Amino acid sequence: MSPSDAPSVFDWDIFCRVVDNFGDIGVCWRLAKALAHDHGCSVRLWVDDWTTFARLCPAAAAAGDSLCAQGVEVRRWCEPFPDVQPARAVVEAFACEPPASYVAAMAAATPRPQWINLEYLSAEDWVEGCHGLSSPHPRLPLTKRFCFPGFTARSGGLLRERGLIAARERFQADAAACHDWLAGLGIPAVPDGARLVSLFAYEQPQLPELLRLWAAAPRPTLLLVPEGRVLGDVLRFFGRTDAPADEILVAGGLTAAILPFLDAADYDRLLWACELNFVRGEDSFVRAQWAAQPFVWHIYEQDEAVHHDKLDAFLDRYLAGLDDSAADATRALWKAWNGEGSLAAAWPAFDAALPRLAPHTRRWSEDLASRQDLASVLVQFAELTVK
Ligand code: TRH
């Protein structure tokens, strides 16, 4: 049995503040489930925004301030914070600062909990130098350790629950399963030879120009759009102001199916089924990489445009080893999708590069899947340092 196969003796508290959208709780919820299922840990997840959590875990909508779901105890993080015994390992997600009373209880506990700050994902080089660093608390006898997810062996890795890759391979090898699954979503017939594309993005002002190209292209496109922020731009192309989930819109060779916000398993299947996935933020960006299909990332905008460096750092890693023309075409399309350049102008070269980008992305995904996953790295953090 490898260390990560052995059940962990630790119990965990994970603290999550939702800044906006779904990524903060999306990552924490996925981490909580991986610690519980893959490592046998007892996990308590504290989240301050119950409504957003309920979009990812519909059972929470009917529960008051707490529930047990998928092996995890989830509690609403409210003030005043209840008087609870701290867990042996504590994850502070994205520097969200656990309640002062809880931190004081950590300092008084024996043994003192292992306190880990889980940071946002980045492909930038500095991540390797910062991953694993410790910082003593200014007043209390506590040390916080920093875990940086990333794409290299010297980072914290990526969330990848046990069995994920095998499940994806089974699905992608079974055309009938994919067909039945689409039919179950209410998509009656996929146009012959159509390219399936999923779309999850922030607002995208240039989208109508791209959809115009797809509508006029010889190869049909089936665009699958879970409800969300980009829907307005899709509807603008079709001259509509609203459309219910499960509406099908058609223009030339383009069919757009508006889907409800899917549960986690179905969202994965959507990514696995599509030849091209538009994703955003952090968690869907990672899931697209486990889908092993070409993808386009809408990066979360940050102050002073620092997200552009983050985007370039990822592209440098992801495109290494791809031929120059396909790499340039991919970079141009990604940049245009993120507001630098014309999307319609970048599309034809990207479209032509897709047959080379597809096997490249599969290799990229396989390489990432050969690394240790983030939950296992965190378990090692906890086991190494708490005596
Ligand atoms: O929602 P996001 O944009 O999240 C974030 C936040 O903005 C956060 O503050 C920021 O720091 C971070 O990005 C970088 O994108 P993300 O991370 O992809 O989260 C979306 C979640 O929603 C992800 O867990 C997948 C899930 N999802 C579904 O479960 N069903 C769906 O149908 C779709 C489209 C997504």
Side-chain angles (χ1 to χ4, degrees):
M1 204 182 241
S2 72
S4 64
D5 288 334
S8 168
V9 293
F10 292 99
D11 57 327
W12 295 70
D13 272 324
I14 301 174
F15 286 90
C16 175
R17 272 190 211 284
V18 175
V19 177
D20 54 12
N21 303 312
F22 301 105
D24 307 284
I25 185 59
V27 169
C28 292
W29 177 225
R30 206 177 285 291
L31 169 64
K33 289 184 286 183
L35 287 169
H37 299 171
D38 297 353
H39 298 277
C41 302
S42 155
V43 184
R44 194 163 50 178
L45 169 62
W46 300 90
V47 56
D48 68 339
D49 179 345
W50 201 255
T51 308
T52 301
F53 173 62
R55 294 291 304 280
L56 299 183
C57 176
D65 281 352
S66 67
L67 89 160
C68 283
Q70 303 190 43
V72 176
E73 179 186 353
V74 190
R75 304 269 299 262
R76 190 197 294 262
W77 176 357
C78 46
E79 300 293 342
F81 195 74
D83 191 12
V84 294
Q85 175 68 33
R88 289 283 304 283
V90 178
V91 173
E92 169 186 358
F94 317 124
C96 69
E97 294 190 14
S101 61
Y102 183 92
V103 174
M106 282 166 73
T110 311
R112 296 219 174 81
Q114 171 64 17
W115 184 357
I116 302 165
N117 186 23
L118 174 65
E119 286 290 347
Y120 286 114
L121 172 63
S122 174
E124 290 161 294
D125 288 340
W126 56 261
V127 160
E128 290 190 341
C130 296
H131 174 63
L133 291 183
S134 301
S135 160
H137 191 280
R139 284 178 300 102
L140 298 169
L142 289 167
T143 298
K144 199 191 285 196
R145 214 160 161 214
F146 292 84
C147 176
F148 283 82
F151 300 90
T152 65
R154 282 160 57 207
S155 72
L158 301 172
L159 284 172
R160 187 187 72 248
E161 69 275 17
R162 195 169 292 169
L164 172 66
I165 304 300
R168 181 208 73 207
E169 280 174 354
R170 278 195 303 278
F171 184 86
Q172 289 182 334
D174 186 348
C178 177
H179 180 272
D180 292 353
W181 177 75
L182 284 168
L185 283 184
I187 295 155
V190 177
D192 261 355
R195 171 189 284 157
L196 266 60
V197 179
S198 80
L199 177 61
F200 179 49
Y202 306 115
E203 290 75 11
Q204 181 50 270
Q206 296 191 65
L207 188 66
E209 285 105 84
L210 184 60
L211 298 188
R212 207 160 290 130
L213 293 183
W214 292 357
R219 183 174 178 201
T221 300
L222 174 58
L223 180 65
L224 299 153
V225 193
E227 278 176 325
R229 287 173 56 176
V230 78
L231 186 57
D233 299 300
V234 176
L235 295 179
R236 203 150 43 83
F237 170 74
F238 287 98
R240 297 276 297 264
T241 49
D242 62 9
D246 61 32
E247 172 120 19
I248 310 269
L249 303 164
V250 181
L254 171 65
T255 303
I258 314 305
L259 306 176
F261 192 80
L262 301 171
D263 69 27
D266 271 341
Y267 184 58
D268 275 336
R269 289 186 199 105
L270 179 71
L271 298 172
W272 301 346
C274 288
E275 264 178 63
L276 176 63
N277 293 305
F278 289 80
V279 288
R280 74 182 204 195
E282 179 161 327
D283 191 54
S284 59
F285 166 58
V286 172
R287 300 312 276 185
Q289 294 172 70
W290 299 137
Q293 305 279 31
F295 61 102
V296 180
W297 183 25
H298 211 172
I299 194 166
Y300 180 77
E301 271 190 41
Q302 288 174 276
D303 292 342
E304 296 168 22
V306 292
H307 56 284
H308 289 297
D309 293 341
K310 218 169 148 173
L311 186 74
D312 286 334
F314 179 75
L315 281 168
D316 289 347
R317 287 194 194 282
Y318 168 48
L319 299 178
L322 183 63
D323 69 85
D324 286 350
S325 82
D328 291 349
T330 304
R331 191 178 287 273
L333 194 282
W334 279 47
K335 293 288 223 180
W337 191 254
N338 286 285
E340 289 190 338
S342 156
L343 208 47
W347 173 257
F350 180 72
D351 190 19
L354 278 170
R356 284 165 289 150
L357 188 59
H360 177 81
T361 304
R362 192 153 289 266
R363 284 192 295 276
W364 167 259
S365 179
E366 282 164 6
D367 186 42
L368 291 178
S370 69
R371 308 254 163 80
Q372 198 171 32
D373 68 280
L374 177 59
S376 299
V377 169
L378 288 173
V379 165
Q380 281 180 358
F381 263 35
E383 285 171 348
L384 281 174
T385 48
V386 178
K387 298 282 179 234

